[in-house]
Amino acid sequence: MHVAAGAGPRESGDKQTACARVLAVLSAFAATSGASLSLTDISRRAGLSLTTTHRLVGELTEWGALERHDRQYRIGIRVLELAASSTRGLELREIAMPYLMDLHAATKENVHLAVRAGLEIVYVERLHAPGGVEILSRIGGRWPLHATGTGLVLLAHAGYDVQEQVLSGPLQRFTSKTICDSRTLRQALAEVKRTRVAVTDGQITPGAVAIASPVHGADGEVVSAVGVVVPSNGFAPRGTERPPAGGWKQQTIVPAVVTTARRISRALGARH
């Protein structure tokens, strides 16, 4: 069960289980980027009464899932310990890290590694580029599949049911360039599947171009996606004779991302 921050279910008698209420409290911190919240903030984000929130927060603090400081709360070390024990993300990060660092050093741009969780992507690694384009991603952050380069890659290689669920549902708009209609999204997914790469311009962050490519596991299935985000004014489309000063040609940056994805795939045991 995933409860989006700020959209917690309202209490409704016995319809909401104790587990759901605890998850709502923890999910209240999902989009805070590490910031602390007051009881009132948690109550509003979780959709719970202040009395219920006070009780649950007290129990979670005692257990170590939350930490209190000056009447503010933040995620505690016990949650971080549990997250670190996730073999899916941990093993992938450990294997991929040397190749991500090579890509980061070569491009000097923001580098991502993402996996699919339901109808969202989750960033399991992010290498920040000082002076690079400002982006909203963070490790553990979630975004809809249709709105990011890595998301389009993972959606293009997802099963039919997942694709149809995304295509039939509302597509959230973040900028004027976000893909928000199913026909355009279908075309984009077909192109990603054909070329093995996604290139998106300003879908979440204006002025940012995302380039992503799939990572395959030992069984040949796509398990994650590697992405690089560059400023759009430094990214020249194919056929351009010369990129802007300090920029990357598409002919250069795309192969670098694809090569990195293939190297990680081979390290995971994929044969292709």
Side-chain angles (χ1 to χ4, degrees):
M1 173 180 177
H2 171 63
V3 182
R10 303 305 305 182
E11 292 180 280
S12 54
D14 294 332
K15 291 184 179 180
Q16 189 179 357
T17 66
C19 180
R21 292 172 183 172
V22 170
L23 292 175
V25 169
L26 294 175
S27 295
F29 293 85
T32 62
S33 300
S36 298
L37 298 175
S38 67
L39 273 176
T40 302
D41 292 333
I42 299 171
S43 173
R44 175 177 53 79
R45 285 168 170 257
L48 300 171
S49 70
L50 197 56
T51 300
T52 299
T53 302
H54 183 272
R55 175 175 57 81
L56 292 176
V57 165
E59 294 175 0
L60 288 169
T61 301
E62 184 177 356
W63 185 72
L66 298 178
E67 296 177 353
R68 179 181 178 180
H69 180 69
D70 291 339
R71 297 186 179 182
Q72 298 281 313
Y73 296 86
R74 61 187 179 187
I75 290 294
I77 194 68
R78 290 292 292 272
V79 173
L80 300 180
E81 289 172 349
L82 289 174
S85 67
S86 171
T87 56
R88 180 188 181 196
L90 185 60
E91 292 176 359
L92 178 61
R93 288 174 66 188
E94 289 179 346
I95 292 173
M97 183 58 76
Y99 308 105
L100 298 177
M101 292 179 66
D102 286 347
L103 181 61
H104 184 255
T107 63
K108 294 180 174 57
E109 301 288 357
N110 296 295
V111 173
H112 295 128
L113 184 67
V115 298
R116 183 175 67 83
L119 304 183
E120 299 173 308
I121 63 160
V122 177
Y123 292 112
V124 296
E125 188 55 77
R126 174 201 174 190
L127 300 180
H128 175 67
V133 62
E134 291 296 325
I135 54 178
L136 302 175
S137 62
R138 59 182 177 81
I139 295 177
R142 292 172 176 256
W143 290 94
L145 288 170
H146 73 281
T148 69
T150 50
L152 286 178
V153 166
L154 294 170
L155 182 57
H157 292 86
Y160 174 82
D161 291 345
V162 173
Q163 291 188 2
E164 288 305 309
Q165 193 172 350
V166 173
L167 288 163
S168 63
L171 300 175
Q172 184 177 356
R173 181 179 296 279
F174 297 93
T175 72
S176 61
K177 293 186 176 182
T178 306
I179 298 176
C180 291
D181 68 275
S182 59
R183 181 177 180 180
T184 302
L185 182 56
R186 284 186 189 277
Q187 294 172 344
L189 295 178
E191 183 67 8
V192 171
K193 199 72 178 289
R194 183 183 69 83
T195 63
R196 295 176 50 82
V197 65
V199 179
T200 65
D201 183 4
Q203 284 230 79
I204 287 182
T205 305
V209 171
I211 307 99
S213 189
V215 172
H216 296 260
D219 59 0
E221 296 295 317
V222 171
V223 295
S224 66
V226 173
V228 171
V229 180
V230 302
S232 58
N233 61 5
F235 186 78
R238 292 179 182 178
T240 303
E241 187 67 24
R242 181 175 300 176
W248 283 82
K249 280 187 178 180
Q250 184 166 333
Q251 294 96 319
T252 301
I253 192 71
V254 169
V257 176
V258 172
T259 297
T260 299
R262 286 176 173 169
R263 292 175 69 194
I264 297 173
S265 297
R266 287 195 293 269
L268 290 172
R271 297 180 179 180
H272 73 286

